[in-house]
Amino acid sequence: MSKLHRYSINTRWTGNRGSGTLDYRAYSRDHLILAPGKATEIQGSSDPNFRGDKRRYNPEEMFVSSLSSCHMLWYLHLASVNGVVVLDYEDRAEGTMLETDEGPGRFTQVTLRPRVRIADSAKIDLANRLHQEVGAKCYIANSVRVPLTYEPETTASDH
């Protein structure tokens, strides 16, 4: 049985400095990302290389974050159902984007580097294998064409 899920986002540009988009340099790339029922908004901008505010999240960072978050949530689920007790999880994900003279550019690679601490050292191999299974289950990963690489590092608290 198929299930259809819908996600609503309101993206509001807040960068009109008084003259709108009269000139490429006349406006800010600042915007807000809001969703119904959420307690906070996300302050967004473009990458600083494209005249954005470096203090705000840009779409490229949020893209990598989406892949990382989806992977983590699926990993925690699979660990739970496979008897792997995860105590800590942190991912230092990185995406590489290539901008060319011919076109708009694209991501060429995203690498997820989860650092996971589990309760039982006897399950480290299983814990590491679960990352590959997650790659086939993550909805976001299955929706993009960028190559994903996984470089997990798993330790155990009983070591």
Side-chain angles (χ1 to χ4, degrees):
M1 179 177 171
S2 295
K3 295 181 184 177
L4 182 64
H5 301 272
R6 295 189 188 279
Y7 300 92
S8 298
I9 293 292
N10 180 6
T11 303
R12 184 183 320 139
W13 176 52
T14 58
N16 185 346
R17 294 180 177 152
S19 60
T21 59
L22 178 66
D23 179 74
Y24 181 74
R25 298 178 192 284
Y27 64 95
S28 165
R29 277 59 175 172
D30 291 356
H31 57 277
L32 298 176
I33 300 167
L34 309 113
K38 303 296 184 201
T40 59
E41 61 196 24
I42 297 172
Q43 294 185 357
S45 191
S46 62
D47 181 296
N49 291 309
F50 308 112
R51 305 190 54 77
D53 183 342
K54 68 181 180 182
R55 297 169 300 172
R56 292 174 170 241
Y57 290 96
N58 63 57
E60 295 81 7
E61 290 168 327
M62 290 188 283
F63 174 72
V64 174
S65 174
S66 292
L67 288 163
S68 177
S69 295
C70 185
H71 185 91
M72 178 193 68
L73 293 169
W74 266 106
Y75 183 84
L76 296 173
H77 169 75
L78 290 178
S80 175
V81 299
N82 282 280
V84 176
V85 178
V86 175
L87 303 173
D88 292 303
Y89 184 110
E90 180 177 349
D91 183 8
R92 298 198 179 177
E94 182 176 292
T96 303
M97 188 178 77
L98 176 65
E99 184 183 6
T100 65
D101 292 336
E102 297 83 41
R106 65 181 181 83
F107 274 86
T108 58
Q109 179 75 38
V110 173
T111 302
L112 304 182
R113 294 183 182 91
R115 301 300 176 251
V116 182
R117 187 169 62 93
I118 63 173
D120 183 358
S121 61
K123 296 190 177 185
I124 286 179
D125 287 340
L126 172 59
N128 283 330
R129 283 194 311 271
L130 290 176
H131 289 285
Q132 293 304 319
E133 188 175 340
V134 168
K137 294 188 178 292
C138 168
Y139 305 133
I140 306 297
N142 284 319
S143 301
V144 299
R145 64 181 184 179
V146 63
L148 296 170
T149 303
Y150 309 102
E151 298 176 1
E153 180 182 302
T154 306
T155 59
S157 64
D158 65 350
H159 263 151

